[in-house]
Amino acid sequence: MTDSKADLKKEAEQAKGAVRKAALDYHEFPKPGKLEIRATKPLANGRDLARAYSPGVAEACIEISKTPSDASRYTARGNLVAVITNGTAVLGLGNIGALASKPVMEGKAVLFKQFAGIDCFDIEVNENDPEKLADIVCALEPTFGAINLEDIKAPECFIVEQICRERMNIPVFHDDQHGTAIVVGAAATNALHVSGKNFEDIKIVSTGGGAAGIACLNMLLKLGVKRENVWLCDIHGLVYEGRTEDMNPQKAAFAQKSDLRSLDDVIDGADMFLGLSGPNVLKPEMVSKMTDKPIIFALANPNPEIQPSVAREVAPDAIIATGRSDFPNQVNNVLCFPFIFRGALDVGATEINDEMQLACIAGIAELARATTSAEAAAAYQGEQLTFGVDYLIPKPFDPRLSAVVSSAVARAAMETGVATKPVDDLDAYRDTLNESVFKSALLMRPVFEAAAKETRRIVFAEGEDERVLRASQAILEETTETPILIGRPDVIAARCERAGLTIRPDRDFKIVNPENDPRYRDYWGTYHSIMSRQGVSPDIARAVMRTNTTAIAAVMVHREEADSLICGTFGEYRWHLNYVKQILGDQTHTPHGALSMMVLEDGPLFVADTHVWTQPTPEQIAQMAIGAARHARRFGLTPKVAFCSQSQFGTQAEGPGKCIREAIALLDAMDTDFVYEGEMKVDAALDPELRDRLLPNGRLNGVANILIFGTGDAASATRNVLKMKAAALEVGPLLMGMGNRAHIVTPGVTARGLLNMGAIAGTPVSNYG
C-alpha cells in the first residue's frame, strides 16, 4: 500500500472514530439519555401537594371511575404513547436484545415530542414469545392512549400486532410495517406523478419478505397496484407457488405462479424496484432491464441495494429513493408516525385503520407537491427542495406536516366512525395544530384577521432576498395584501425558480428595478425635492435612487404608490432608520421607539426600545409606553406596562431611574387608557408577590407584559438574552410612531418573521401609532 493510500485510510478511520465519539457524547452528556420527566403542574407548597396527591387526587380518581373517558381530562393518558419493543429486529443491527435497543426507543420518544408534542415512554421487554409479549402490551392499556410497536422481528410482529389490535380499544400501530408503508406509498404516489405512470399499470419487483416489505406491498395494493403485477423475492429467490423454504402466510399471499426463480429473471420490464433487504442486491445490469424512468426505492440501511450514482450510470432518468439522509428522497418514518398518532389521539380513535393510513399518504404526498416551507428550506440549506425527481416527499423539519397530515388522519377517523371524541371544526383544529408548531400563530391571528379586511400594498426593500420571496409567496396565499419587491427581475425570477416557489415577477407581484425603471426620474426628483436643503444635490439623488433600496421604498410610500415598507434584512438598523426619517418623517410621524414582541413558553412579553434610542428622554419613554400599549391591544392583549431600570421605586436619584420617573409624571398628566408602574427591576415586573412586598397597593396587578427600559442597551440586551437563552421567538421589531408606514427588521429575521411583519404592515393605519 502506498503512503498516500495509507494516509487516506488513516484519515477515514479517524473521521469514523470522530463521528462515533460525537454520537456517544450526544447520548452521555450533559446527562445520560435523551429523556427526562417534567411536572406540568406547580408543586411549591402544601396547597399544591394536597391537590396533586392526597386528598385532592381522590376527586380525579372518583370521576374516572364513574366515566372512564375522563381519564383524558384529568391525566396525561390522552397524550401519552408507549413505544414497546423486545429488541429482536433493531435497525440494521438485528436481534441485539431489549436493553441494547433502549437508545433507539428513547430516540423514538424524542421524535414524538419534538414533531407532534406527544409525550412518550419507551418500554423494552425481555419477552420473545409473541403471545406472551402481546399479553404484556394489552395489560398496559389503562396507562396509554396509544401503542407504537417497534423493532419486533417478523413473523412474530404480525402475531403481536394482530392480538393487540383485537383485544385493545386504543390505536396499536407497528411503525416498522405501517409507517414505512405509508412513507413508501407517499413517495411512490409522487414518483408515478413525475414519471407519468399509474399504480394500476406498473410492474413491481420487491426484495425483502420481512415486516416492512410485506406491509409496503399490501399498501401498494390498496393504492391500486394489481396483485398479479407484484413479484416478491427474498434471500432464496422468487416467492412462487409451491415454495416451502422460509415461507409464512404473509409471504405466501404474494406467491407467483411462475417458473422464474431469481431477481435477475423477474426484473425484466419492471417499472418499480422496492428494496427492503440488503446492500448491493440490485445490480446495474438488472436496472438496464427495467422500463424507461424506472422507479428505484433502495431502502436498505445503511447501505442501499444499489448506490444512486451506480443506478444513474445505467438509467440517467431513474427516480430514486433511499433510506439515507445524505441522498435525496429519504424514506423516513418520522414523516408519518408522529402525525398519524397526533390525529388519532386528538379524536380519541380506537384504532388506526386503512382509511387513516391512506389519508396520511395523501397528506404527505400533497405537501411535497406544494411550495416548500421556509422553515424546511432553512433546516436544509443548500438542498434543492423543488418537487420533482429529487424531491418526492417533504423533509421531516417541514412544520406544515403536523396540520396537514394530522388533520387528514383526524378527518378519516371521524368519517370511518372510529373517533370517540370528534372535533366540531376541522379548520379550527388545523389552526390549533399550527399554533403548536408556529409559536407566533395564536398571537398573530387577530392581526391576520384585521389584515384580511384591507388590501394594502407592502413594498419590500430587499426584494432579492430568498426570505422575502418566501414571505411574499405566503402573503399572496394567506392575505389580501399586494407585495411589491425592489430588485432585478431576472435575479428574482431565478431565485424563485431555485427555491421552488410558484410566484414570478410581474405576474404575481410588482417589481421596481433600480437598474432600469420608468419611474426613476420621478423617484430621484421626489427625493431631491425632500432633501435639497439638506445637502443632497441632483447627482446624489440620482445615485441614491439607483443604489439605496430603502430610500426607494420610502419614496414609494411618500408618493402613495405603496402603503407601507419593510426593510432591514441586511445592514444596521439605524442606517435604514435614517432614510425612513428623512423621507417619511414629519410633524405627525416621528419614531417613538422599536417594540419587540418576544413569544415565550408562557406567553408574549413586549420589550422596548430595542433599537431607536440610546438614552431616551422622558418624553420619548412616555411615547414608547403609549405606542407599546396600542400595539399590545392589536394582538388581543390587555397592556400591563412596567418601566424597568436598576433603580427600584426611587432607590437611585439620578440616571435612567430619574428619566423614568419623569416619564411616569408625564403619563400621569395625560388621559391614558392602560395600566403602568415603575420604576422597578425586571424581577419585580415579572413577580407580583415580590412587587407587592416592595410597593404595597401599587397600581399594576399581575405580571407585566410590556417592559419599557430607560436605556437602549438594557432593552437590546434583554431582547437578545430572551432569544438566545429562553428560545423566545421575536415578532418585530415594530417601528412605533410612523403610522404603520415603515418597519425595519433585523438581519436574523426569518421568512415567517417577514410574513408576520407583512401582516402587521397590512393592518389599518388607524390602529397604530
Side-chain angles (χ1 to χ4, degrees):
M1 182 181 292
T2 64
D3 290 343
S4 60
K5 289 183 178 180
D7 290 342
L8 289 173
K9 182 178 179 181
K10 183 178 180 181
E11 289 176 4
E13 289 174 350
Q14 289 175 341
K16 185 177 180 181
V19 170
R20 182 176 183 274
K21 184 178 185 302
L24 292 175
D25 287 349
Y26 177 85
H27 284 79
E28 184 177 1
F29 303 109
K31 62 172 63 175
K34 299 189 286 285
L35 296 173
E36 67 179 8
I37 295 175
R38 295 190 179 188
T40 60
K41 302 294 192 299
L43 192 62
N45 50 45
R47 179 197 63 194
D48 293 341
L49 181 60
R51 292 174 178 175
Y53 203 55
S54 182
V57 70
E59 301 301 331
C61 294
I62 292 169
E63 291 302 308
I64 295 170
S65 68
K66 294 177 183 176
T67 310
S69 61
D70 277 352
S72 295
R73 290 182 61 190
Y74 300 117
T75 75
R77 183 176 185 266
N79 193 50
L80 190 61
V81 168
V83 174
I84 303 178
T85 188
N86 62 2
T88 53
V90 182
L91 302 177
L93 304 174
N95 187 354
I96 61 174
L99 181 61
S101 75
K102 189 171 181 65
V104 177
M105 303 309 127
E106 279 192 356
K108 194 70 174 280
V110 170
L111 297 179
F112 267 112
K113 187 67 174 181
Q114 176 68 29
F115 290 106
I118 295 172
D119 296 316
C120 184
F121 285 125
D122 62 293
I123 299 176
E124 296 78 29
V125 183
N126 278 322
E127 182 53 74
N128 291 341
D129 182 289
E131 294 187 0
K132 291 181 179 179
L133 179 58
D135 287 341
I136 294 170
V137 176
C138 291
L140 295 171
E141 183 169 354
T143 302
F144 297 99
I147 302 293
N148 185 138
L149 300 174
E150 189 79 12
D151 291 352
I152 302 169
K153 72 181 181 73
E156 287 89 340
C157 62
F158 302 120
I159 300 170
V160 174
E161 185 186 38
Q162 181 179 350
I163 293 172
C164 291
R165 293 188 68 170
E166 289 174 352
R167 289 169 51 185
M168 301 180 81
N169 200 40
I170 58 174
V172 178
F173 185 81
H174 185 208
D175 185 49
D176 298 315
Q177 290 185 64
H178 310 302
T180 304
I182 286 168
V183 182
V184 165
T189 297
N190 282 343
L192 293 175
H193 186 90
V194 170
S195 66
K197 300 177 182 180
N198 300 307
F199 280 114
E200 295 80 4
D201 304 324
I202 62 172
K203 174 184 177 181
I204 296 178
V205 174
S206 179
T207 60
I214 295 295
C216 288
L217 293 178
N218 283 326
M219 182 60 72
L220 291 169
L221 295 184
K222 295 169 188 174
L223 289 168
V225 173
K226 294 179 180 178
R227 164 65 188 79
E228 60 268 25
N229 289 340
V230 176
W231 298 74
L232 172 61
C233 300
D234 62 9
I235 194 171
H236 306 292
L238 179 68
V239 173
Y240 58 89
E241 289 185 2
R243 195 182 106 171
T244 58
E245 185 179 16
D246 192 19
M247 291 292 287
N248 58 51
Q250 290 77 25
K251 284 185 186 179
F254 290 95
Q256 284 280 5
K257 187 176 182 179
S258 172
D259 295 330
L260 303 176
R261 291 294 180 265
S262 70
L263 173 62
D264 188 48
D265 291 336
V266 301
I267 196 72
D268 188 43
D271 298 279
M272 179 177 179
F273 169 81
L274 175 63
L276 293 119
S277 49
N280 305 315
V281 168
L282 184 65
K283 306 300 181 184
E285 55 269 24
M286 297 179 185
V287 175
S288 67
K289 296 180 180 181
M290 297 179 69
T291 60
D292 292 339
K293 297 182 180 179
I295 299 168
I296 300 172
F297 285 9
L299 306 182
N301 253 325
N303 298 310
E305 285 80 0
I306 189 170
Q307 291 291 329
S309 59
V310 174
R312 286 218 165 89
E313 287 178 2
V314 181
D317 59 352
I319 301 169
I320 303 173
T322 71
R324 291 174 51 146
S325 61
D326 53 348
F327 293 134
N329 300 323
Q330 182 193 19
V331 173
N332 190 331
N333 289 15
V334 77
L335 291 173
C336 161
F337 70 82
F339 313 112
I340 199 166
F341 274 96
R342 179 76 278 158
L345 288 169
D346 288 340
V347 297
T350 56
E351 66 177 11
I352 295 175
N353 56 31
D354 287 349
E355 290 80 4
M356 294 162 73
Q357 294 182 40
L358 291 170
C360 193
I361 288 174
I364 294 170
E366 179 186 352
L367 193 54
R369 296 193 296 271
T371 307
T372 305
S373 75
E375 290 78 11
Y380 298 93
Q381 290 184 19
E383 295 189 36
Q384 187 73 21
L385 304 183
T386 305
F387 177 68
V389 170
D390 289 332
Y391 188 69
L392 299 175
I393 46 179
K395 294 291 188 179
F397 283 96
D398 191 327
R400 299 171 300 177
L401 281 162
S402 180
V404 170
V405 178
S406 300
S407 62
V409 170
R411 180 192 294 274
M414 291 189 291
E415 290 176 347
T416 55
V418 300
T420 62
K421 300 185 301 181
V423 298
D424 295 328
D425 186 337
L426 270 172
D427 290 335
Y429 172 60
R430 284 174 65 109
D431 289 341
T432 301
L433 292 169
N434 275 325
E435 288 161 11
S436 69
V437 175
F438 299 113
K439 292 170 67 174
S440 63
L442 178 61
L443 291 164
M444 288 298 300
R445 187 186 297 175
V447 178
F448 275 93
E449 289 174 352
K453 298 174 183 177
E454 296 249 329
T455 302
R456 282 171 59 83
R457 302 157 298 171
I458 313 299
V459 57
F460 288 90
E462 295 95 24
E464 296 177 3
D465 191 297
E466 184 177 320
R467 294 167 294 175
V468 171
L469 299 176
R470 292 189 178 279
S472 297
Q473 171 122 1
I475 285 171
L476 289 166
E477 291 174 348
E478 300 182 29
T479 75
T480 58
E481 298 164 19
T482 303
I484 304 168
L485 274 57
I486 299 177
R488 295 162 292 178
D490 55 338
V491 173
I492 290 174
R495 291 181 180 176
C496 286
E497 177 73 26
R498 185 181 66 191
L501 303 175
T502 60
I503 56 173
R504 292 295 183 271
D506 294 326
R507 185 190 71 190
D508 302 297
F509 54 88
K510 296 179 180 179
I511 287 283
V512 175
N513 181 4
E515 293 182 345
N516 182 20
D517 194 281
R519 295 162 289 189
Y520 170 65
R521 181 178 181 84
D522 295 332
Y523 286 178
W524 76 254
T526 299
Y527 182 62
H528 178 254
S529 69
I530 296 169
M531 301 296 296
S532 60
R533 293 189 179 275
Q534 297 183 50
V536 173
S537 67
D539 287 340
I540 293 175
R542 292 187 189 99
V544 169
M545 287 297 105
R546 284 287 191 211
T547 59
N548 189 321
T549 57
T550 296
I552 296 171
V555 165
M556 293 182 68
V557 175
H558 176 82
R559 292 170 55 87
E560 299 184 352
E561 295 177 11
D563 298 299
S564 188
L565 75 89
I566 295 174
C567 61
T569 59
F570 69 86
E572 203 274 327
Y573 189 95
R574 294 191 191 185
W575 182 89
H576 294 279
L577 180 61
N578 178 54
Y579 290 98
V580 169
K581 289 194 298 184
Q582 281 182 359
I583 300 168
L584 297 178
D586 53 33
Q587 291 182 343
T588 304
H589 302 105
T590 186
H592 293 158
L595 178 69
S596 291
M597 182 172 73
M598 314 304 295
V599 185
L600 299 158
E601 289 297 327
D602 59 352
L605 183 65
F606 292 87
V607 179
D609 161 46
T610 54
H611 290 87
V612 175
W613 309 116
T614 301
Q615 298 287 341
T617 66
E619 292 78 8
Q620 290 164 347
I621 293 173
Q623 287 297 329
M624 274 186 233
I626 294 169
R630 187 181 294 118
H631 276 279
R633 286 199 173 93
R634 288 301 307 134
F635 293 96
L637 303 172
T638 299
K640 296 182 179 181
V641 177
F643 293 95
C644 298
S645 76
Q646 191 177 33
S647 177
Q648 187 138 267
F649 304 120
T651 59
Q652 294 184 13
E654 299 297 328
K658 179 181 178 183
C659 280
I660 288 175
R661 290 191 294 273
E662 292 176 7
I664 291 174
L666 292 173
L667 290 172
D668 288 343
M670 300 179 190
D671 184 19
T672 56
D673 59 354
F674 59 94
V675 178
Y676 53 90
E677 186 59 276
E679 81 286 10
M680 69 186 84
K681 295 180 181 178
V682 172
D683 58 351
L686 302 178
D687 184 346
E689 293 184 4
L690 171 62
R691 189 171 64 249
D692 288 344
R693 292 201 304 270
L694 296 170
L695 187 70
N697 302 316
R699 49 186 152 187
L700 179 61
N701 294 317
V703 178
N705 55 19
I706 300 173
L707 305 182
I708 306 291
F709 287 87
T711 67
D713 283 346
S716 178
T718 300
R719 164 187 174 263
N720 284 300
V721 167
L722 291 173
K723 284 175 65 176
M724 302 309 297
K725 301 303 289 185
L729 175 71
E730 181 181 23
V731 176
L734 316 178
L735 182 56
M736 299 183 291
M738 294 303 297
N740 202 27
R741 298 197 297 165
H743 292 289
I744 305 168
V745 298
T746 57
V749 70
T750 63
R752 179 153 292 272
L754 288 166
L755 170 61
N756 287 337
M757 291 304 297
I760 290 167
T763 54
V765 178
S766 58
N767 290 312
Y768 287 94

